[in-house]
Amino acid sequence: MILQERHWSIIYYYREQISYLFPLLICLISWLVLNQLNKVSDLTSQPEFVAYLSNDPIVSSNPIQEKREKLTIPSKPDIQKFEEKSKSQSDSKSKSTSVENITTSSNTAVQSNLQESSEKSSEANQTTSASAAGVRYEGLVLAALEKTKRYPTSREARESRPEGVVRIWLTLDRSGNLLDCGLLNSSGSNLLDNEAIRTAKRATYPAFPNSIYSGENSHRFTTSLRFSINS
């Protein structure tokens, strides 16, 4: 009895402190209960928990795991398609390279052909100009002969009065000096033939142009001289 009374006396003594602690204790217990209920509700709302309850595989929300799952080993058809694609790409590259090589070679061939044609055309132009210059020089030689030509004045020529064409040849050096001359075709009259040779020896000829007869120190010409009474 004494102990029981003492116990109640202690409780009575601390009644004010107990009256303050009791509501706090009730609030703490209520907060713990509510916290546990919230955790349980969160677990039930998560997809892993729902999937687990429905016997479905758990869907992971981890992006790293999803990337790893995506990195799967390709199948043989995929590997064959990749090889065929790479082969077609390499073939197209080789074809483009061959086309470029063909284009380059064709351009080179065209350029070389153009260069050759230009060289040939320049050579042809030079040959044409040289031949034209040669024709002009032959005209000068003939003009020098015609300027020097005279009809024979001998008594025999006055009596017989021959007429005809004498064809002669003459060789000149590059300075225009006469080296030699001769008769190719006679006119039928010795008087006219001899006068033609004397005409070739008396005439003064111009020097060769540098563009004609390259590599020649002398050149032979052939020409015809016509003699008539009125000439």
Side-chain angles (χ1 to χ4, degrees):
M1 287 294 291
I2 295 172
L3 291 174
Q4 188 175 4
E5 289 177 358
R6 188 177 180 182
H7 177 72
W8 284 108
S9 63
I10 292 171
I11 292 172
Y12 180 78
Y13 179 76
Y14 291 103
R15 68 182 182 277
E16 292 181 0
Q17 287 83 353
I18 291 171
S19 62
Y20 288 115
L21 291 173
F22 185 73
L24 291 175
L25 183 61
I26 292 172
C27 290
L28 180 61
I29 292 170
S30 301
W31 180 79
L32 290 174
V33 171
L34 291 173
N35 193 11
Q36 292 296 326
L37 291 174
N38 288 329
K39 287 182 179 181
V40 172
S41 64
D42 290 338
L43 287 174
T44 55
S45 63
Q46 289 181 359
E48 292 86 351
F49 184 78
V50 174
Y52 178 77
L53 291 177
S54 60
N55 293 325
D56 292 334
I58 297 175
V59 179
S60 176
S61 62
N62 191 356
I64 297 174
Q65 186 175 359
E66 291 178 357
K67 290 181 180 180
R68 289 178 179 177
E69 291 177 355
K70 289 180 180 180
L71 296 175
T72 57
I73 299 173
S75 59
K76 289 185 178 180
D78 295 334
I79 294 173
Q80 292 178 356
K81 289 181 181 179
F82 179 76
E83 290 178 352
E84 291 176 355
K85 185 177 181 181
S86 61
K87 185 177 180 180
S88 61
Q89 290 177 354
S90 62
D91 292 338
S92 61
K93 288 181 180 179
S94 62
K95 287 181 181 178
S96 62
T97 305
S98 62
V99 169
E100 290 176 357
N101 293 330
I102 292 171
T103 305
T104 305
S105 62
S106 62
N107 291 332
T108 305
V110 169
Q111 291 177 358
S112 63
N113 291 330
L114 290 175
Q115 186 175 2
E116 290 178 358
S117 62
S118 63
E119 290 177 355
K120 289 180 180 179
S121 62
S122 63
E123 291 177 357
N125 292 330
Q126 291 177 359
T127 304
T128 303
S129 61
S131 62
V135 171
R136 286 195 298 269
Y137 183 76
E138 290 177 0
L140 294 175
V141 172
L142 180 60
L145 290 171
E146 290 291 336
K147 183 179 179 181
T148 309
K149 182 183 72 173
R150 297 286 185 271
Y151 189 81
T153 58
S154 64
R155 180 180 177 182
E156 186 180 358
R158 288 195 303 268
E159 291 179 354
S160 61
R161 305 180 68 174
E163 292 182 347
V165 177
V166 183
R167 188 167 180 81
I168 62 174
W169 62 268
L170 61 156
T171 303
L172 304 177
D173 62 8
R174 299 197 70 85
S175 298
N177 299 318
L178 179 66
L179 299 179
D180 198 3
C181 63
L183 183 66
L184 284 177
N185 294 322
S186 174
S187 64
S189 172
N190 292 329
L191 295 174
L192 298 180
D193 295 342
N194 293 332
E195 186 63 28
I197 297 299
R198 285 194 294 270
T199 300
K201 291 180 179 180
R202 288 196 308 265
T204 301
Y205 307 99
F208 291 179
N210 294 326
S211 59
I212 64 173
Y213 314 134
S214 61
E216 296 183 16
N217 294 324
S218 62
H219 191 76
R220 180 174 174 173
F221 301 90
T222 60
T223 186
S224 299
L225 296 177
R226 179 180 293 275
F227 291 90
S228 62
I229 297 173
N230 298 323
S231 61

